[in-house]
Amino acid sequence: MTAALDREATVRLIERAAGIDATPDAELPSPCVSVCRMDDHREFCVGCLRTIPEIAGWSRTDGAGKRAIWGAITQRLQALPAPADDLPQEWAP
């Protein structure tokens, strides 16, 4: 990812991702954090770390698919170079 991530949006996304496991399928929130801009390679949104197909299909995706997208976002978050104090304890190196 070559575009700079919005630090505040990334922290909000981390906080939202942390609560997904306990959220019922019918209540899974959109990962959108209102920073809608694709990275320089048009691979991921720099706000929510979703791909264009993930963004476009969100409203038509069932609970299992939304959980899979959240899982992918979590993996993307864990791969980000970030100071350890920004990461949940279980993600710290």
Side-chain angles (χ1 to χ4, degrees):
M1 194 173 301
T2 56
L5 295 177
D6 182 289
R7 184 179 178 86
E8 199 173 300
T10 302
V11 171
R12 284 195 316 262
L13 188 60
I14 289 169
E15 290 169 351
R16 293 177 92 183
I20 291 303
D21 288 344
T23 305
D25 283 356
E27 298 174 21
L28 286 169
S30 169
C32 182
V33 292
S34 299
V35 178
C36 304
R37 186 176 68 249
M38 298 307 286
D39 68 5
D40 293 341
H41 295 288
R42 297 187 48 82
E43 186 175 9
F44 301 108
C45 171
V46 299
C48 67
L49 299 179
R50 288 184 290 172
T51 64
I52 289 174
E54 289 169 345
I55 294 166
W58 182 262
S59 64
R60 296 181 310 277
T61 302
D62 64 11
K66 288 179 179 180
R67 283 195 190 283
I69 292 170
W70 270 110
I73 291 168
T74 299
Q75 290 177 339
R76 294 168 192 155
L77 282 166
Q78 290 172 335
L80 290 176
D85 62 342
D86 279 356
L87 299 174
Q89 184 67 27
E90 64 271 17
W91 294 358

